[in-house]
Amino acid sequence: GENVEQHPSTLSVQEGDSAVIKCTYSDSASNYFPWYKQELGKRPQLIIDIRSNVGEKKDQRIAVTLNKTAKHFSLHITETQPEDSAVYFCAAPKGTGRRALTFGSGTRLQVQP
Amino acid sequence: DVKVTQSSRYLVKRTGEKVFLECVQDMDHENMFWYRQDPGLGLRLIYFSYDVKMKEKGDIPEGYSVSREKKERFSLILESASTNQTSMYLCASSSMGLGETQYFGPGTRLLVL
């Protein structure tokens, strides 16, 4: 089955700096890669996703890049703000019809004001 | 607005008790999922269901079972609770198809004494 590894486990940046979180996956047939954000005490929520027919997708200050050959994808947050502080999870599809997701172990991002 | 609710926010049970965790969604979603969340381990899939009475094992099904008698409701059952099942349990739902957003419930924090 699909295996997703995520690095780093913790990341501390100064407000205004950029943050990058990286994930690798094992199943070369995987074709959809979402990122979820979980603020303290709240439920995870989708922030951005990418499909395997594109190499990069942007949404304001966040972007995701995909390298299918190397089987890795990354989340990039520019001009970080304190409200970006949260745990971020990457994921890849699995199971019958690829309806389920395998999540990475999470990255705790702390943005220092 | 998608709503996923879980029957309890906090639960304390004794070792050996049978425990039921319930999840209800109001968006007519085909897919429903149960995860457990532990520090440093991310979100691990226990079971999921893509239709009424259908279920599929996730990554850590041992010690758990599930029931989906109605489309909107997905139950997680701990037949005989053990202390290593102390965790945060998150339910999620999504509509059919690849790349559909998973919407999470608020979570149930279970303590097994």
Side-chain angles (χ1 to χ4, degrees), chain B residues 8-103:
Chain B
S8 307
R9 292 300 304 272
Y10 301 95
L11 213 50
V12 181
K13 295 292 180 181
R14 296 275 177 197
T15 302
E17 279 193 81
K18 191 168 187 175
V19 182
F20 292 88
L21 302 182
E22 284 218 315
C23 176
V24 178
Q25 50 93 5
D26 68 353
M27 283 304 291
D28 202 35
H29 283 167
E30 290 80 9
N31 303 322
M32 295 189 76
F33 311 88
W34 275 106
Y35 297 92
R36 66 177 278 177
Q37 183 172 20
D38 301 287
L41 297 177
L43 299 163
R44 292 182 293 167
L45 182 66
I46 304 172
Y47 267 98
F48 71 100
S49 169
Y50 49 87
D51 201 353
V52 174
K53 296 191 186 295
M54 302 300 288
K55 62 184 179 185
E56 189 163 319
K57 292 180 180 179
D59 300 313
I60 51 164
E62 297 79 19
Y64 304 94
S65 62
V66 291
S67 172
R68 193 160 180 207
E69 296 297 318
K70 293 186 177 181
K71 190 175 185 180
E72 68 271 18
R73 191 179 299 267
F74 192 35
S75 301
L76 180 69
I77 303 152
L78 287 67
E79 294 289 342
S80 178
S82 63
T83 54
N84 62 13
Q85 293 179 309
T86 290
S87 187
M88 170 68 85
Y89 289 89
L90 287 162
C91 172
S93 72
S94 71
S95 55
M96 184 71 75
L98 174 70
E100 295 296 331
T101 302
Q102 288 194 15
Y103 295 90

Side-chain angles (χ1 to χ4, degrees), chain A residues 91-105:
Chain A
K94 67 170 288 173
T96 300
R98 297 185 178 274
R99 298 180 182 92
L101 293 173
T102 291
F103 285 86
S105 53

